[in-house]
Amino acid sequence: QIMAKTCVEAEQAVNFNCMYESVRNTCRNRYGVLSKGETIASAAVKTCVDVHAKAIVVLSETGTTARNIAKFRPAVPVCVITLSDRIARQASGVFKSCHAYPVESLEDTDKIVGEVEEALMKHGIVKEGDAIVVVCGTAHGMGNTNQVKVEIVKANYWFEESEKHESSAHQTGRVDEQGCILS
């Protein structure tokens, strides 16, 4: 427990914005330019800092984008959504701040991001109105990550029919099983 408390305290003392700048400048000085993947990752982390995002969501087939984002040491959790169990294990075990989850398909990015937002809300990482940064590709396939966007988290008040809520805010204006409008 003492070691865990020490680690948590040490992490809180880190200036992640300065660390980001240091890693970015070191890469540029050593190699002259950043690769396309490093540029996207750098932009995602900088955007996260600028908009005070609470999480970064990465949709990646190979895990390279997640690795590049982890290199820039973001201060927020990184949710890696991937097709491969192997990539998910690697990202969760090796990459800093990354938590990976395998899925069957990356084609419906809006649906996946919505599900990730709900999971982040359920775990208390984000709340309604918080910003998250989403990194994905507009074309499917390896090496096609080319998009960084900021999403604002919205609560999903329209739940599945199988869920029953007693809250009047959830029921107002809805139609019950008999076709009656609830007020």
Side-chain angles (χ1 to χ4, degrees), residues 2-14:
I2 293 171
M3 187 62 154
K5 288 179 183 178
T6 303
C7 291
V8 168
E9 190 173 329
E11 282 285 318
Q12 290 174 346
V14 174

Side-chain angles (χ1 to χ4, degrees), residues 158-179:
W158 301 106
F159 46 85
E160 297 296 323
E161 287 184 32
S162 63
E163 295 181 24
K164 299 291 181 187
H165 292 280
E166 299 300 320
S167 169
S168 61
H170 284 286
Q171 297 296 338
T172 302
R174 304 275 322 258
V175 177
D176 67 6
E177 294 82 20
Q178 290 81 29

Side-chain angles (χ1 to χ4, degrees), residues 111-142:
K111 179 182 176 196
I112 293 169
V113 170
E115 290 171 359
V116 171
E117 284 179 9
E118 286 180 25
L120 291 171
M121 285 180 70
K122 188 181 293 184
H123 288 90
I125 296 169
V126 299
K127 62 185 184 311
E128 186 174 12
D130 286 343
I132 62 170
V133 174
V134 179
V135 183
C136 59
T138 54
H140 298 288
M142 291 186 274

Side-chain angles (χ1 to χ4, degrees), residues 38-56:
E38 288 173 324
T39 302
I40 295 283
S42 172
V45 174
K46 183 61 176 157
T47 300
C48 185
V49 170
D50 290 346
V51 301
H52 302 288
K54 302 294 185 199
I56 299 174

Side-chain angles (χ1 to χ4, degrees), residues 77-123:
V78 179
C79 296
V80 182
I81 310 301
T82 183
L83 298 173
S84 167
D85 288 332
R86 183 179 61 81
I87 300 295
R89 283 190 304 274
Q90 182 183 28
S92 290
V94 178
F95 304 156
K96 176 97 169 100
S97 300
C98 291
H99 308 280
Y101 307 95
V103 294
E104 292 181 15
S105 172
L106 293 175
E107 290 187 23
D108 190 355
T109 58
D110 291 334
K111 179 182 176 196
I112 293 169
V113 170
E115 290 171 359
V116 171
E117 284 179 9
E118 286 180 25
L120 291 171
M121 285 180 70
K122 188 181 293 184
H123 288 90

